[in-house]
Amino acid sequence: MDEKELLRLEHLHKEFGGNVVLKDFDLSVKKGEVIVIIGPSGCGKSTLLRCINGLEAVQSGKITFEGAPVEKNSKNISQIRQKIGMVFQSYDLFPHKTVLQNIILAPCKVQKRKKEEVEQEALQLLERVGLNDKKDAFPRELSGGQKQRVAIVRALCMHPDILLFDEVTAALDPEMVREVLDTMLELAKQGSTMLIVTHEMSFARAVADRILFLDGGELVEESNSPKDFFDHPKTERAQKFLQTFEYE
Amino acid sequence: MDWTAIKEYLPLYREALLLTMKIGWIGILLAFLLGLLCAAILHFHTPILRGIVKIYIELFRNTPLLVQLFFIYFGLPKIGVRITAQTCGILGLGLLGGAYMAETFRSGLESVEKIQTESALSLGMSPLQTFRYVIQPQAVALSVPGFMANVIFLLKETSVFSAISLMDLMFTAKDLIGLYYKTTECLFLLVIFYLIMLLPVSLLGSVVERRMRHAGFGD
């Protein structure tokens, strides 16, 4: 694995009106790593991802992506965001544009690439996720799982160096979850760098190089072996959290 | 009902209708542009302009058009600006309409989901690109019902133009009643001509609205 560091978070502190969401948070992400972040609702997972691509400002601490500082209102934030792909929980496709238009909009307008070239790439990517027959459909004509796969393709078409997934299956019907997770698993196998926030524990176990367990805005437990983490969590809080997923 | 009188008055009403429509539609165009500009200023939180726009909107939404027309028509010459009654009508309607349109477009912009802005930004789009390609097209579609209601409201408001002696429909009717006392005929024609002006707009409005809803995005 390439040991190059892509993303670095140092002493991140974030609060919403006195409510602390991230406490002195550190993280280093290397190229090719797949990191899964889990934890109870409101533990700061989503906020963490939103801070990383500058959608959310931090009170203190530093985020560095490929050597450049990430700040919400800085001049070059749009340039940095091009390299950071993000897929949200839901409703993030542009409803007034077709699938293909959704995908090629940013590459054409932001990166000024040729329309034909981007379209060709978009179609190849759509084929990979099994949606090439939907290229002219509008988002409202797609199922939840299809929408999320299009959203992933849209992010990929910008050629990002890292992908952030913010609970992308949380709003889906159970039978749709699988197709989205399969797509993500394939990306992981191809060596994409990914930061994934999810509640799908068996998926986390299968895909992660590293697991982070967050609670109350702090990193409670970190493990380079998902198997160890899920079978023998070290901290009490992680044990308690994992127990909520069991029914025996 | 004196049909010969009606026949006689018809050309006068037609003239008045054309003038009313001319002032009405130019005023509405002005209102549309002004509304877009103001809504954009409010949307981008432009520091000083935002305050000015807010004062303008509240001022013009909370005073009657008649009072606004008097201020423009009799007030401006006092500070040395001479304008014709027609320009005054267009300006008055444009300013009043601009305030209403601004509010309509603003609420359209606000009803576009926040996640739309965020996902556009996360693709590396600048705030301006986000507005142009993602937010504004959705906001326009969402504003159509409010926009059409404003258009009809503004066309009806033209009836106060008679107060600054513009020969609009209302003025013509009042004038003819004063001259010939054919009240019933004159008022009958007045209603008919307002309907001629407004019914097509109303019908067009419901067609456009229905199409927007069918082509509607949402889920």
Side-chain angles (χ1 to χ4, degrees), chain A residues 50 81 92-93 95-96 147, chain B residues 116 118-119 121 133 217 219:
Chain A
R50 294 165 57 80
R81 284 191 185 125
D92 57 333
L93 291 183
H96 58 301
K147 277 188 225 177
Chain B
Q116 291 284 313
E118 291 182 341
S119 65
L121 290 176
Y133 300 118
F217 358 99
D219 293 82

Side-chain angles (χ1 to χ4, degrees), chain B residues 131-178:
Chain B
F131 183 75
R132 182 164 158 210
Y133 300 118
V134 178
I135 306 305
Q136 183 248 331
Q138 295 183 53
V140 166
L142 290 165
S143 308
V144 165
F147 173 79
M148 294 311 290
N150 281 346
V151 167
I152 290 166
F153 157 74
L154 290 171
L155 283 175
K156 286 193 287 193
E157 281 293 292
T158 56
S159 58
V160 306
F161 284 163
S162 56
I164 52 166
S165 53
L166 266 173
M167 306 264 272
D168 75 328
L169 284 170
M170 190 62 120
F171 186 93
T172 307
K174 282 201 276 190
D175 206 31
L176 287 171
I177 292 171

Side-chain angles (χ1 to χ4, degrees), chain A residues 93 128 149 180 245:
Chain A
L93 291 183
R128 253 175 54 191
R149 282 183 283 160
V180 177
F245 289 90

Side-chain angles (χ1 to χ4, degrees), chain A residues 50 53 55 78 81-82 84 86 88 90-97 105-106 109-110 112 140 147 154 158, chain B residues 114-116 118-127 129 133-135 137-138 214-219:
Chain A
R50 294 165 57 80
N53 74 355
L55 286 176
S78 296
R81 284 191 185 125
Q82 291 176 38
I84 305 178
M86 180 147 178
F88 298 81
S90 60
Y91 305 116
D92 57 333
L93 291 183
F94 307 135
H96 58 301
K97 295 195 176 293
L105 180 66
K109 300 296 178 192
V110 178
K112 315 275 180 216
R140 65 175 184 277
K147 277 188 225 177
R154 187 174 68 174
M158 290 294 285
Chain B
K114 200 174 155 230
I115 186 87
Q116 291 284 313
E118 291 182 341
S119 65
L121 290 176
S122 79
L123 285 164
M125 288 192 215
S126 67
Q129 286 171 327
Y133 300 118
V134 178
I135 306 305
Q138 295 183 53
H214 283 305
F217 358 99
D219 293 82

Side-chain angles (χ1 to χ4, degrees), chain A residues 57-102:
Chain A
V58 290
Q59 269 80 24
S60 66
K62 214 168 109 188
I63 304 173
T64 323
F65 181 74
E66 295 180 335
V70 179
E71 283 160 33
K72 189 184 179 194
N73 291 318
S74 70
K75 267 218 158 111
N76 63 343
I77 186 71
S78 296
Q79 255 120 37
I80 297 174
R81 284 191 185 125
Q82 291 176 38
K83 293 274 146 206
I84 305 178
M86 180 147 178
V87 184
F88 298 81
Q89 201 180 91
S90 60
Y91 305 116
D92 57 333
L93 291 183
F94 307 135
H96 58 301
K97 295 195 176 293
T98 64
V99 166
L100 194 60
Q101 288 168 342
N102 258 281

Side-chain angles (χ1 to χ4, degrees), chain B residues 50-66:
Chain B
R50 186 183 160 84
I52 298 174
V53 166
K54 278 188 157 171
I55 292 170
Y56 154 67
I57 290 177
E58 291 313 321
L59 192 65
F60 277 83
R61 286 209 316 164
N62 293 300
T63 49
L65 179 59
L66 189 60

